[in-house]
Amino acid sequence: CSSYYGETSIFKHVKRARFGDSCSYSLGERMSIFDSMTYSKLTLSFLFQYITIDIWFSSPRDISQKLLNYHHSAVRMGEVDTAMISLQMGWRYLLYGGGNLSIISKSFEDRATLIAKSSDYAAKYVALDYALLAELTGQSADKLADIEGMVCNIEVLQTEAEFVNNNRLLHHINVNNVMLAYWRGDYISAEKSSHVAWKYPTAKMPTIVLIYHTFYGGLIAFKLFRTMGGVDGNKRLMEGRELMIAMGKWAQNSMAVFGNKWLLLSAEHSASIHEHDKCKKLYKASIKIAQDHGNIHELGLANQLFGNYCLSHECGVDANSCFKKAYTYYTQWGATAVAEKILRHHKLDLHTGDNTDLQVGSSKRSR
């Protein structure tokens, strides 16, 4: 999976070639320019072309807002399939990017029937994303099951995709399984799904799925290296390091988008090779960047992983303080099932300590 990673600079050059050396045109500005163009040009190829570039420079939440605006424009123009797919993609970017899960859940439930009626393609990906949402929030994944045309059973969805050789959907199913298993704490299953996902030809396509597969894949590899060891130990360490390096290359394009992920992977790598002083600084740096840019989901995750580290090592930091912060941030995100799991597992007393300052400090977290 390494051959793709050095190529993001291509997109930087493409962006400059199209929009000037300053790279000053955001997707939103291009959409404004687009609004003055002929309606007949509103196509999925236009959508995918610019998203492919902007994922390397803009936050998923910002891209989500533009996708949702694109959805409304497509509805006005009668481009039904484009409208439904841009809506589904907008939800996915918001979900992956740390958008408020309660708001996303309400949107899913309000419009799932419309999507199922209008776009079989979009409905399949909505089902995947809703399964992840349900895992994070503790909702029933079957809430959409009664909607005609909505297949909520992931195993059934996978069987159907295998029957028609839908490799793109199979790839997405496996990456979704990576994230589902990660949040359940089933790292072996997560690793298996990750390795399967890398085998599909779409695995290296420049999408948000690639970004988060790389991120979770690295976290899983380092986790299993430390807990399992054995003959696969060095292989896992090398895999995690490769994915960490890839994230580092992307961070050169945008620390705002990739910095906290890269630093968190680097912290997990340093923890794995016993670079303890360096590791503490990296955890703290990841937390700071996540806080600065409003990545509340990854702020919770970084505090949780730092707490896990502090439980096993004398690092001058109270592990329970980290877990309390993780609990608070996960709760603010809307991932109540994840937050409650931390509360139970670590037997946290939320009445001790001061959590009043645990708000995301960035105005960039507006959704």
Side-chain angles (χ1 to χ4, degrees), residues 109-120:
E109 291 161 15
D110 287 349
R111 301 192 187 181
T113 300
L114 175 63
I115 284 187
K117 286 181 178 178
S118 306
S119 174
D120 178 65

Side-chain angles (χ1 to χ4, degrees), residues 320-341:
N320 275 351
S321 174
C322 295
F323 293 133
K324 286 179 183 180
K325 290 176 183 178
Y327 171 87
T328 300
Y329 290 128
Y330 283 142
T331 300
Q332 290 175 6
W333 178 29
T336 50
V338 179
E340 289 299 320
K341 191 182 296 184

Side-chain angles (χ1 to χ4, degrees), residues 63-174:
I63 294 175
S64 170
Q65 190 56 53
K66 307 309 179 290
L67 283 163
L68 296 176
N69 291 342
Y70 197 92
H71 160 73
H72 294 307
S73 297
V75 169
R76 289 197 307 271
M77 299 172 200
E79 297 283 350
V80 176
D81 203 43
T82 298
M84 295 303 104
I85 292 173
S86 57
L87 178 60
Q88 173 267 315
M89 289 177 64
W91 286 342
R92 170 168 287 184
Y93 276 76
L94 197 55
L95 173 63
Y96 285 17
N100 185 281
L101 296 181
S102 297
I103 294 174
I104 300 170
S105 177
K106 181 74 163 57
S107 298
F108 269 123
E109 291 161 15
D110 287 349
R111 301 192 187 181
T113 300
L114 175 63
I115 284 187
K117 286 181 178 178
S118 306
S119 174
D120 178 65
Y121 176 93
K124 290 180 171 65
Y125 292 94
V126 165
L128 287 181
D129 294 337
Y130 194 81
L132 177 58
L133 178 74
E135 182 65 33
L136 296 168
T137 60
Q139 299 172 190
S140 171
D142 295 329
K143 285 184 80 171
L144 307 183
D146 292 335
I147 297 174
E148 186 177 351
M150 186 71 70
V151 180
C152 293
N153 186 310
I154 304 303
E155 291 182 1
V156 172
L157 202 60
Q158 182 166 348
T159 300
E160 291 180 356
E162 289 170 347
F163 183 74
V164 296
N165 293 320
N166 187 339
N167 285 330
R168 184 178 189 277
L169 181 56
L170 288 168
H171 167 235
H172 281 234
I173 288 171
N174 278 282

Side-chain angles (χ1 to χ4, degrees), residues 50 173 195 202 244 362:
Y50 289 110
I173 288 171
H195 290 169
T202 54
M244 175 192 74
S362 174

